[in-house]
Amino acid sequence: MSGIVSTFRTFAHGDDPFLVIMLVSSVLIVALAMERAVAILRAGRVVGRAEREVLEALRRDDLVEAGRRARLLPSPVREVFVAGLDRAAGTTRGAPRPAVLRAQKRVAAQLRGGLWMLGTSGALMPFVGLLGTVVGVMGSFKAIGETGAGGFQVVSTGISAALIATAAGLFVALEAVVFFNLLQNLAAGVVRELSLLVDEALELLEARGSRAGSTAGE
């Protein structure tokens, strides 16, 4: 308990810059994780809405209604379906498939945006904590040398305080790694569902184009 109290006092007074860095990093990690979680969950709901509205219209071969529903979707999922439907309807030049796949890649990149910072923090923070411990131990031995005081009691107090930096670094790293893995899996699930919808949408659009070509040929 005394160690925890000492740690909070150190944070409050800013005596150890390494602990301050890790405290700020921990707050930023939580904030980033919450922002990404909200964005990914929102995108997942939009993907579900696209299946209920846009894909259902395409299954009925109602291209106009599908386009109207697609434009009502929030970004960035909207751009995926609008890119293909506009080209299928002839309002935009180009083929639907490459346009849709490009937009899909942009969505995947946006959903994973910022997650690299969580991964980097998970790898870096243990070393920051270790560096803080090393600096703290060096300071303790320097103080012992300057005062001439020695003994286990004197050394153990300084080392105990210095080891708090290592513990803090490991805690922040674990926090970052857990958030990184959870959000990566969450984003991968949304991207997978979007990919399945895109495949079906392209299949329906290409089948529609084939029927239109056959009719024109007759």
Side-chain angles (χ1 to χ4, degrees):
M1 180 63 71
S2 62
I4 297 175
V5 172
S6 176
T7 302
F8 279 111
R9 286 176 178 170
T10 302
F11 281 143
H13 295 290
D15 295 334
D16 190 334
F18 293 98
L19 288 178
V20 174
I21 289 171
M22 284 180 282
L23 176 62
V24 173
S25 299
S26 178
V27 172
L28 292 177
I29 285 169
V30 172
L32 175 61
M34 291 178 64
E35 186 275 332
R36 285 291 83 200
V38 170
I40 294 169
L41 290 173
R42 182 182 292 125
R45 290 195 296 271
V46 176
V47 169
R49 177 180 165 186
E51 182 177 14
R52 293 190 304 271
E53 299 179 2
V54 180
L55 265 292
E56 281 301 318
L58 282 176
R59 289 165 187 153
R60 298 193 306 269
D61 200 23
D62 191 344
L63 191 62
V64 174
E65 178 66 10
R68 188 183 73 82
R69 293 285 187 173
R71 284 178 174 80
L72 295 176
L73 296 174
S75 185
V77 177
R78 175 180 62 238
E79 284 74 15
V80 175
F81 293 97
V82 169
L85 292 170
D86 282 352
R87 285 162 175 79
T91 57
T92 303
R93 294 179 59 186
R97 179 173 289 275
V100 169
L101 294 180
R102 280 196 305 270
Q104 182 185 343
K105 290 177 182 178
R106 292 192 190 100
V107 172
Q110 289 181 29
L111 291 179
R112 295 190 173 99
L115 295 186
W116 66 269
M117 288 188 280
L118 296 177
T120 301
S121 298
L124 187 63
M125 281 301 135
F127 296 101
V128 176
L130 183 60
L131 178 61
T133 296
V134 171
V135 172
V137 171
M138 290 171 60
S140 297
F141 279 107
K142 181 180 179 182
I144 291 171
E146 290 175 349
T147 59
F152 178 76
Q153 293 295 330
V154 176
V155 176
S156 63
T157 302
I159 292 177
S160 175
L163 286 174
I164 293 175
T166 296
L170 291 173
F171 174 79
V172 176
L174 288 171
E175 178 185 57
V177 169
V178 168
F179 282 136
F180 176 78
N181 288 328
L182 287 175
L183 292 172
Q184 279 278 38
N185 289 333
L186 195 60
V190 174
V191 170
R192 182 171 56 251
E193 290 301 316
L194 179 59
S195 179
L196 293 173
L197 292 187
V198 164
D199 287 343
E200 183 177 356
L202 289 173
E203 180 184 358
L204 292 170
L205 290 175
E206 289 167 357
R208 187 178 187 277
S210 298
R211 289 197 305 270
S214 300
T215 302
E218 295 174 357

